[in-house]
Structure formats: structure tokens, C-alpha cells
Amino acid sequence: MGATIPASGVSVPEGTTPALTSPASHIQVFRLARYQLRDYLLSRRFILMLGIVAVLGVILTSVIGYYRPASLLGTSDNFYNQIWAGAVTVVIVFAGVIFGGDAIAGEFQNKTGYFLMGLPVKRATVYSGKYVAAFVSSFVALVAFAAILLGNAAFYFGTGAFTVAFLESFLLAVVYLLALLGATFLFSSMFKTSTYAVLVVAVMFIFGFSIVQALVAGLIKIEPWFIISYASPVIGYPFDATIPAHMVTVTSMGPRGHTTSFTSYNPTYAEGVVIMLGYFLVTAILGLLLFEREEFT
Amino acid sequence: MGGHSIETRHLTKQFGKFVALDALDLRIEGSKCVGFLGPNGAGKTTTLKMLTDMLFPSSGECFLDGISVQKDRKRALEACGVLIESPEIYPSLTPRQALEMVADLRNVPVAEQKIRIPAVLEEVKMSDWADKKVGKFSKGMKQRVNIAAALVHDPPILLLDEPATGLDPRGMAEVRDIVRGLKKRNRLVFMSSHILPEVTDVCDEVALINHGKLLFYDTLDNVTAKFSHGQISVDVNFVHPLSDADVAAKVASLPGIVRVEQLDPRRLRLYTPGGPEEEAKILRGLISAGLDVVSFQESKSALEEVYLSQISRGD
Ligand SMILES: Nc1ncnc2c1ncn2[C@@H]1O[C@H](COP(=O)(O)OP(=O)(O)O)[C@@H](O)[C@H]1O
Ligand SMILES: [Mg+2]
């Protein structure tokens, strides 16, 4: 490096150049997230995510517009409960897989981690910065989806579409997103190959949790409070006049006089929120601990 | 002296039962360039990765400017520019954005970034590509950006793991120029390499490792003086083929020649205890014996002789 390049800082004697003090870690988290976000927003994965939102939006809009089911178009609460509350969890799961699935594993596989690890940053900063970027990207997709549904609702209900219940439900969806991304990041930091990480995250969130949830409730007959997807119906609760009963047991008479009983559970409102926040906290802590111990071999 | 330092204390790394680095004690300080030499698999990258907290030592500890890397990676790496294992850059970013990221995370003031970033991009000859996405770059181009990233905050300490990897010959020469420039500005450079001419060219000191063990660490001059007690070999090409009789009478008999090896009819390898004066005397002797010499050159550099003899001893 010739003398053509101005040395950093004020005129300090050569060779005694003081090291630059790095910014506080929380500032680094947001600076890192900013560049990570720039990478996400310009990448194909973001276009893919918006594409999924658009496809879902087009299908919902045209099906509702064509059939105009009366049950749906009675009140905006009804509309949101049946359309938004279910579909938004799909959007959130896709966002989790697309932005979270390879977030950590990709740093190893693509060797971008070696670029970051040469910098004066804590491992937790890298993890958190990536989390913030994935969260913001997913949030943008969530807002886009909410806007499509609000637009539809406004078409049928006018200003009656903009309800406090919807805002409440949206916030619950954001909490669910926090939790789900936390869990995908944890899965992602268990792998050093992106494909495995994405595959495992996708399978777990699309089938895994609901199968386990059904098994736990149906066979072991306990409340599956430790399964993240169990909490997701809470997103629809703001639209319910009465929240579903916590435990429903259906007993039926079998062929030879056997009785079989089937119990299903619904989370209470508070329980649902606690499960989601709990998932966020526990997975964040576990993921950070795991990443703290990972080597860049 | 700049007072900057790189230190490893009893640094050991095991992968399962395999010892990749065995109790390395190394202390480097001041402002100079130290070449970290060793054959493939010797443990160079392993060492540099522990110096930057990418790998965790099985035992031992590393210090940069006296700060423990294992206890406080963030503070320890503030003084360093690091390039290890040709990393990848987020493909959607441009070199300028990638360098801005590094500079932001390192707290380089924005006003200074405006000067430094174009300057280092120019230094690595990437100015024309500053605003193109990194994703489509060739390996060599990415490596240039990586070098720029290690320099952007003008660090007093540089840890470089085979920085010339993936570069074309001109790129390699440019890396040497960059390192020489750093030396002029009193930086402390620790650079792994298996390219001997590169090390001879730019390094003041060499540390040689093999099989995870440090063989020596000394100045280049001391190393060649201490270990080349054997012989220097010189390859000589002639215009006309030489007969055995010619070789015996006109070459082997010259003072200072220990042994002669005929590589092909027009080409001899002469062994001499060495020294530039001795070599000059031999060349004069060949010419006065009436032989038409086309070229006369040491077949291996002094460092190469040392390197080969030391490495083979360990095997
Ligand atoms: N993650 C790993 N697992 C097992 N062995 C490894 C790992 N990383 C490196 N090694 C081994 O450690 C030795 C030193 O490797 P390395 O430091 O990369 O050598 P160098 O950089 O000097 O060529 C090699 O034998 C290599 O195979
Ligand atoms: Mg190596």
C-alpha cells in the first residue's frame, strides 16, 4: 500500500497507529442487519417470497370475488377469521423457511461466514444481525399479505374493514413470526449445509409439528403446549365472539361396546401468547449458545 | 518499533486424535513481515483460524496486541486486517457495499470511508468493478476484494492466509507490492505461504512449521546462514555438448566445486559450499577454460534449500 493512501485517523506517527475501536455490539447488530437486508431485498429469495404472497393473494381474491360465500361476507370478523387467520400462518412458515432456513447454515456452506468472522464482532452479533434482517424481510412480506386482505375487506365492508381486531390479530401474527424465525434459526445453526437446514425446517414446519401435535393430543392425551403450531390459532381469537373451549372430549361408542374418546385442545389466549414468546426466547438462547460454540473449519 | 504483537502460547489443535497443531509458541512483534511457511497440511490455516477465533484451541491461547482472542474476540480483532481461506462476500453486494459494511462494523468514520474505500479498491485494481455485484466475479477478483476488505481500516496488524491464492501472476506480483507497501508503513504482517519466492521477496522473518510443529522462527538471513551449511547448487548451460573428459578436466577440477552432475549433454549442475564470491570465481574459471557458457544460475534459492532439507528431515 503506497503512500498514496491516506492513513486513517488524525496524524499519528507511522507504526503506532491506534486500532479503531469497534462500535458497541447492539449498534453492530443493526449495521450488519442493514447490509444483510440489502442482500436479501436484492436477492431472488425475496422475489420468491413476494411471489408466494402474490399468488396466495390472487387466489384468495379471485375465489372470494367469484363465489362470494355468504358465510364469509357477513362481517369483517368472519372474513378475517376464515381467510386471514389461516392463510397468514402459511405466509409466516414460508417466510421462515425462505429467510431463516439457511441463515446460519449458509454462512458455513457459502463461506460468507469467514468474511464476517475476520471482523471485530461477537458471534452473537452475527446471529442477531442475521435474525433482525430475516425478521424485517419477513415482516415486509407479512405487511404485503395484510395489505392484500385489507384491500379485499375494504371492497366488501368499506371502512368497516379497518378494525381493532385486525390490528390485534396482525400483532399476534408478528409474535408468531418472531417465534417461528427463532425456531428456524435454531434449526439452521444445527447444520452446516444449507440444503439440509432448509429441508429440515420446511418439513418440520409444514408437516412435522402438526403431526406431532395430533399424536400428542390424540394418543398421549395431553395438551401439546410445547408445539409451536399449537399456538397459532390464537391469531384468529380477536375475531371470535367466544374463544374455543380449552379442551374438547368427544366420546363415541365403538362396534363391540367399546367406547373411544377423542380429546382435542385449544390454547387459551394467554397460553398461546406465552407459548409463542416462550418459543422465541428459548430458541434464541439455544441458537445463540450453539452458534457461540461453532467452529469455522 | 510499533509495539504491535501477535502471540500464541502453547497453542494446540486436535481434530479427534489427529494433532493438527502441536504446542505452538510464537511471539512476533514490531513492524515487519513474517512469512509462515510450511507444506500443505502443515497447520498454517489452523493456526491463523485460532488467531482469529474461527477455531477453538484444544489448549493454549492467542493474543493480538496482548488481548486474548479466546476471551475477547471483538476487542482483539480491532487491530487486525484478516484474510483467511478466501471467504465469499454476499453475492448481491457490490465491492463498494461490502467494504462499507466492513468499515461500518469497524467504525471507520463515513468521511474517511469516502477516501479509503476508493483508495483500497484502486490498490487492488478493482476500481472498474466497484459497483458491480460480487456474485458473478471470478475467484481472483473476489480475492482482490477480500484483500481490500482486510486493508480498508488501515490496520496495524495483518493476518493473511495465502493471500495470493487464486490470483494470476500479475495479481501475485501486486500482492507482493501491497505487502511491501505495508512494511514501508511499519505494519506488522503475518502471512502464510507455500510460495518460497514470495516469502524471500517480501518477508523479513520466517517461521517454518511441518506436521503442526514449529521447526524454527528467525530472520531470513539467519535462517539461510544457519541451515544452508550444506551446498548451493548452480545450473550451467553451455553452447556445445560436453564430453565426460571435458567435464573431468575443465569443470570438476576447478577450485570450489564439490561435485558435478551432468543433467544433459549441454547442462551441468555444480555443487559448491557456496557464497557469491565462490560462485563468481567458478564462472570465471569455466570461461577461462574455454567453455561457452549460456547461463549460470542457482538452481534453488537458499531458502528453498533450507525448506527442503528441514521438511524432509521431519518425514
Ligand atoms: N476440520 C478439520 N477436521 C479434521 N482435520 C482437519 C480439519 N481442518 C484441518 N484439518 C487437518 O489439519 C491439518 C492442517 O491443516 P491446515 O491448517 O489447513 O494446513 P495448511 O493450511 O498448512 O495447509 C491437515 O492435515 C488437515 O487435514
Ligand atoms: Mg492453508
Side-chain angles (χ1 to χ4, degrees):
Chain A
M1 182 156 34
T4 46
I5 300 183
S8 78
V10 253
S11 58
V12 281
E14 289 286 300
T16 55
T17 313
L20 281 167
T21 311
S22 53
S25 289
H26 66 275
I27 294 173
Q28 285 181 323
V29 168
F30 289 104
R31 290 189 180 172
L32 181 61
R34 205 170 70 214
Y35 288 94
Q36 183 76 52
L37 200 56
R38 200 182 288 184
D39 184 53
Y40 275 156
L41 297 185
L42 294 172
S43 71
R44 235 176 274 153
R45 71 177 74 209
F46 190 69
I47 298 175
L48 173 68
M49 187 65 227
L50 288 187
I52 289 169
V53 169
V55 167
L56 273 175
V58 167
I59 293 174
L60 290 176
T61 305
S62 48
V63 168
I64 298 164
Y66 187 76
Y67 292 103
R68 308 215 170 203
S71 68
L72 235 134
L73 299 179
T75 63
S76 67
D77 275 351
N78 250 342
F79 178 84
Y80 288 132
N81 207 354
Q82 296 185 48
I83 303 298
W84 155 266
V88 73
T89 59
V90 176
V91 171
I92 291 172
V93 168
F94 269 115
V97 173
I98 289 175
F99 296 115
D102 71 341
I104 302 301
E107 290 292 328
F108 292 95
Q109 183 176 341
N110 308 331
K111 295 186 83 173
T112 46
Y114 296 89
F115 192 76
L116 296 178
M117 291 306 284
L119 301 173
V121 291
K122 294 187 166 141
R123 276 179 163 73
T125 303
V126 172
Y127 192 94
S128 316
K130 299 212 67 158
Y131 183 93
V132 170
F135 177 77
V136 173
S137 308
S138 307
F139 185 79
V140 171
L142 195 59
V143 168
F145 187 66
I148 292 173
L149 285 202
L150 274 174
N152 266 293
F155 179 76
Y156 298 110
F157 308 107
T159 49
F162 304 97
T163 60
V164 175
F166 184 78
L167 185 65
E168 190 181 334
S169 175
F170 182 80
L171 291 178
L172 287 166
V174 171
V175 177
Y176 190 57
L177 173 63
L178 272 177
L180 194 129
L181 270 182
T184 55
F185 265 62
L186 172 60
F187 278 120
S188 187
S189 48
M190 293 175 179
F191 296 95
K192 286 191 172 168
T193 313
S194 309
T195 323
Y196 289 146
V198 171
L199 205 67
V200 169
V201 166
V203 169
M204 280 309 285
F205 283 100
I206 295 171
F207 315 106
F209 284 134
S210 37
I211 292 173
V212 176
Q213 186 185 328
L215 283 180
V216 167
L219 295 177
I220 311 171
K221 299 192 194 306
I222 56 163
E223 187 189 1
W225 56 269
F226 44 86
I227 306 291
I228 184 173
S229 52
Y230 174 64
S232 68
V234 168
I235 296 172
Y237 285 5
F239 309 117
D240 287 326
T242 49
I243 285 170
H246 181 51
M247 189 173 136
V248 185
T249 307
V250 183
T251 310
S252 57
M253 195 67 86
R256 281 179 298 258
H258 292 292
T259 57
T260 39
S261 68
F262 179 78
T263 308
S264 69
Y265 293 90
N266 294 297
T268 66
Y269 196 125
E271 196 185 15
V273 174
V274 169
I275 291 173
M276 293 195 274
L277 290 176
Y279 249 87
F280 170 65
L281 283 177
V282 171
T283 54
I285 290 167
L286 287 179
L288 281 167
L289 285 176
L290 209 61
F291 190 57
E292 206 65 48
R293 278 159 186 69
E294 280 199 89
E295 296 193 309
F296 286 75
T297 57
Chain B
M1 283 285 120
H4 291 289
S5 66
I6 301 168
E7 189 180 355
T8 67
R9 281 189 208 151
H10 240 64
L11 192 63
T12 301
K13 181 67 186 179
Q14 283 180 251
F15 295 108
K17 286 222 166 77
F18 177 74
V19 183
L21 193 69
D22 192 359
L24 177 69
D25 282 303
L26 196 59
R27 184 176 165 82
I28 298 168
E29 55 189 323
S31 43
K32 55 187 147 197
C33 176
V34 179
F36 194 33
L37 265 179
N40 289 325
K44 304 183 294 295
T45 302
T46 303
T47 306
L48 282 158
K49 280 186 177 173
M50 288 192 283
L51 271 167
T52 50
D53 187 50
M54 292 183 189
L55 289 179
F56 307 129
S58 306
S59 63
E61 203 171 353
C62 311
F63 300 86
L64 297 169
D65 270 357
I67 303 165
S68 165
V69 176
Q70 279 67 42
K71 294 209 178 87
D72 192 352
R73 80 178 319 271
K74 183 169 181 247
R75 230 158 53 78
L77 290 175
E78 282 172 353
C80 289
V82 174
L83 170 53
I84 293 174
E85 281 242 295
S86 316
E88 291 288 328
I89 298 161
Y90 292 128
S92 301
L93 298 183
T94 65
R96 197 188 304 280
Q97 290 167 345
L99 296 184
E100 280 167 7
M101 175 171 91
V102 172
D104 276 352
L105 289 171
R106 286 188 175 278
N107 238 5
V108 179
V110 173
E112 208 176 299
Q113 289 187 22
K114 294 219 156 61
I115 303 166
R116 290 285 307 168
I117 290 174
V120 286
L121 282 171
E122 184 58 38
E123 182 77 13
V124 297
K125 310 280 190 299
M126 287 298 288
S127 299
D128 291 346
W129 302 90
D131 299 305
K132 304 268 192 306
K133 286 187 183 185
V134 171
K136 297 234 157 60
F137 285 7
S138 74
K139 245 186 118 188
M141 292 162 78
K142 287 180 191 165
Q143 188 70 347
R144 286 165 188 263
V145 181
N146 283 326
I147 294 170
L151 300 176
V152 73
H153 58 303
D154 196 19
I157 300 178
L158 282 122
L159 300 172
L160 308 173
D161 186 27
E162 304 194 9
T165 303
L167 297 182
D168 54 28
R170 205 184 53 188
M172 290 184 169
E174 286 160 7
V175 168
R176 287 180 213 182
D177 284 342
I178 290 172
V179 174
R180 269 192 288 264
L182 289 168
K183 262 171 42 174
K184 263 193 218 119
R185 306 195 30 243
N186 296 324
R187 301 301 184 246
L188 177 56
V189 185
F190 187 50
M191 178 176 83
S192 85
S193 178
H194 58 240
I195 308 167
L196 296 170
E198 180 177 270
V199 173
T200 323
D201 205 17
V202 298
C203 294
D204 311 288
E205 299 179 345
V206 282
L208 178 66
I209 64 165
N210 193 20
H211 300 306
K213 283 202 166 71
L214 183 69
L215 301 180
F216 56 75
Y217 166 50
D218 209 334
T219 64
L220 199 53
D221 294 340
N222 281 351
V223 166
T224 45
K226 192 157 43 169
F227 293 100
S228 68
H229 40 62
Q231 304 152 350
I232 296 282
S233 62
V234 181
D235 285 3
V236 192
N237 287 298
F238 300 90
V239 177
H240 305 293
L242 272 77
S243 65
D244 287 352
D246 279 342
V247 172
K250 299 179 176 169
V251 183
S253 58
L254 289 174
I257 291 184
V258 180
R259 192 157 64 86
V260 180
E261 203 179 306
Q262 186 145 22
L263 301 175
D264 64 53
R266 292 167 210 263
R267 187 178 165 86
L268 299 182
R269 177 165 292 169
L270 314 179
Y271 293 86
T272 159
E277 274 130 51
E278 201 68 28
E279 287 173 44
K281 219 191 297 173
I282 292 170
L283 177 57
R284 255 182 278 126
L286 291 171
I287 291 166
S288 30
L291 297 168
D292 295 326
V293 176
V294 177
S295 69
F296 184 94
Q297 195 178 23
E298 284 183 9
S299 46
K300 292 178 199 133
S301 71
L303 182 61
E304 198 177 350
E305 303 270 3
V306 173
Y307 179 89
L308 292 173
S309 69
Q310 292 295 305
I311 295 300
S312 60
R313 262 165 34 120
D315 286 326

